[in-house]
DNA sequence: GTTGTAATGAGACTGAGTCTTGTTCTATGG
DNA sequence: CCATAGAACAAGACTCAGTCTCATTACAAC
């Protein structure tokens, strides 16, 4: 799903951090690396098991920092564990398949026809409700291939 | 947004509970009443303030019971408080406007054109990913009228 | 009534996520 | 090179939404 190379992403995130007077340190880079590699939303326990050298408190702090500069986005999954992924500006707009059995989250890219329909509809809501939309996300709930 | 009258909803929920060998007691009814009245997702603190006679532990238990028979659905909002609403079977299919400023959740009914586009796209994903879809939800993130 | 089961209230408990504190890096400047 | 100031960090205490336990109460069936 990566539209840019990992190198590009690192460079972009470094710039984003610098704009916020933050450094792109080893710990932050390790987390971004993981997010690039996995290519789908990652939970804190994923981070703990993949990057055991990073303490939980640091992982949370890094994620908050990365969010604050717009490099990372928090994803609300179906279980009650927060998950994190690279911001869409760095990858591409996509939606999520949520498995209610194993909790897994799978990224999927929408078709242009669908996104056009969404945009049209959102404009209607915005008009009617006086709502100013920033972004949208579609979650498809069901069972993944493994869970049948 | 109510497609059925509150009376109908109570009757349906009573039947759902009975099928699960559960009774439609005063506490459960009070919560369902609140969900009908408010007509949008409600948080635990909303329930506490609107129904002070129901202890928190009971409110949570009632919500779990109501969920287990399919009368109520848990909604993941943008803040990290769970919210609850009547299941779509009892009301009508709808989506959510999430305000990132005040945390409010507003129900909106999708246009038929949009739902057709969603269905088509979901079928494609299901095919491609071996995913068995049960339901979907679209969240539109932004600022509500009050928050500008 | 009696009796078995569901429902309830009160409060202890759990654990994801946050905050605090003291320490270690690192970028700059003399 | 060293000094030093601010950022980053590790460790662990802390918070509080949500869950669990258990003793008590309501209810349905006989």
């Amino acid at each position: 799903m990566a539209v840019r190379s990992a190198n590009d992403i690192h460079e972009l995130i470094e710039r984003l951090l610098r704009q916020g007077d933050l450094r792109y340190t080893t710990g932050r880079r390790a987390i971004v690396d993981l997010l690039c590699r996995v290519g789908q939303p990652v939970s804190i326990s994923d981070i703990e098991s993949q990057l055991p050298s990073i303490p939980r408190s640091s992982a949370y702090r890094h994620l908050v920092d990365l969010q604050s500069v717009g490099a990372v986005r928090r994803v609300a999954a179906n279980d009650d564990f927060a998950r994190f992924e690279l911001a869409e500006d760095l990858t591409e707009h996509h939606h999520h398949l949520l498995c209610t059995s194993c909790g897994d989250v799978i990224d999927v890219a929408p078709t242009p026809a669908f996104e056009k329909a969404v945009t049209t509809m959102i404009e209607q809501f915005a008009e009617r409700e006086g709502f100013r939309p920033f972004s949208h996300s579609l979650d498809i709930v069901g069972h993944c291939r493994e869970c049948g």
Side-chain angles (χ1 to χ4, degrees), chain A residues 19-77:
Chain A
Q19 284 169 11
D21 280 317
L22 298 176
R23 298 176 199 146
Y24 199 21
T25 59
T26 319
R28 286 170 185 160
R29 187 177 294 265
I31 286 182
V32 170
D33 255 338
L34 180 65
L35 293 177
C36 285
R37 273 208 310 282
V38 173
Q40 66 175 238
V42 152
S43 68
I44 277 288
S45 63
D46 293 336
I47 293 177
E48 277 187 316
S49 58
Q50 299 296 311
L51 305 172
S53 66
I54 296 183
R56 216 192 335 196
S57 60
S58 297
Y60 276 117
R61 187 161 18 78
H62 291 150
L63 289 166
V64 169
D65 293 341
L66 289 165
Q67 273 185 97
S68 74
V69 298
V72 156
R73 179 167 77 124
R74 186 183 222 124
V75 176

Side-chain angles (χ1 to χ4, degrees), chain A residues 4-147:
Chain A
R4 305 167 194 271
S5 74
N7 280 345
D8 286 354
I9 288 173
H10 283 305
E11 213 170 283
L12 281 164
I13 290 184
E14 179 153 22
R15 199 175 310 154
L16 287 171
L17 286 168
R18 286 220 183 288
Q19 284 169 11
D21 280 317
L22 298 176
R23 298 176 199 146
Y24 199 21
T25 59
T26 319
R28 286 170 185 160
R29 187 177 294 265
I31 286 182
V32 170
D33 255 338
L34 180 65
L35 293 177
C36 285
R37 273 208 310 282
V38 173
Q40 66 175 238
V42 152
S43 68
I44 277 288
S45 63
D46 293 336
I47 293 177
E48 277 187 316
S49 58
Q50 299 296 311
L51 305 172
S53 66
I54 296 183
R56 216 192 335 196
S57 60
S58 297
Y60 276 117
R61 187 161 18 78
H62 291 150
L63 289 166
V64 169
D65 293 341
L66 289 165
Q67 273 185 97
S68 74
V69 298
V72 156
R73 179 167 77 124
R74 186 183 222 124
V75 176
N78 209 254
D79 49 28
D80 32 39
F81 303 109
R83 282 150 197 267
F84 301 87
E85 66 181 7
L86 291 175
E88 291 192 338
D89 297 350
L90 305 175
T91 56
E92 65 181 336
H93 179 52
H94 62 271
H95 297 303
H96 292 136
L97 308 180
L98 308 181
C99 177
T100 55
S101 174
C102 65
D104 206 19
V105 181
I106 302 159
D107 286 358
V108 287
T111 60
F114 170 77
E115 280 304 313
K116 203 178 150 198
V118 179
T119 306
T120 306
M121 197 185 61
I122 289 179
E123 276 163 10
Q124 288 176 28
F125 291 149
E127 177 76 20
R128 183 173 1 122
E129 302 283 342
F131 190 88
R132 189 152 58 94
F134 299 155
S135 66
H136 65 271
S137 62
L138 176 77
D139 293 341
I140 302 167
V141 179
H143 276 177
C144 70
R145 181 177 276 125
E146 282 70 36
C147 297

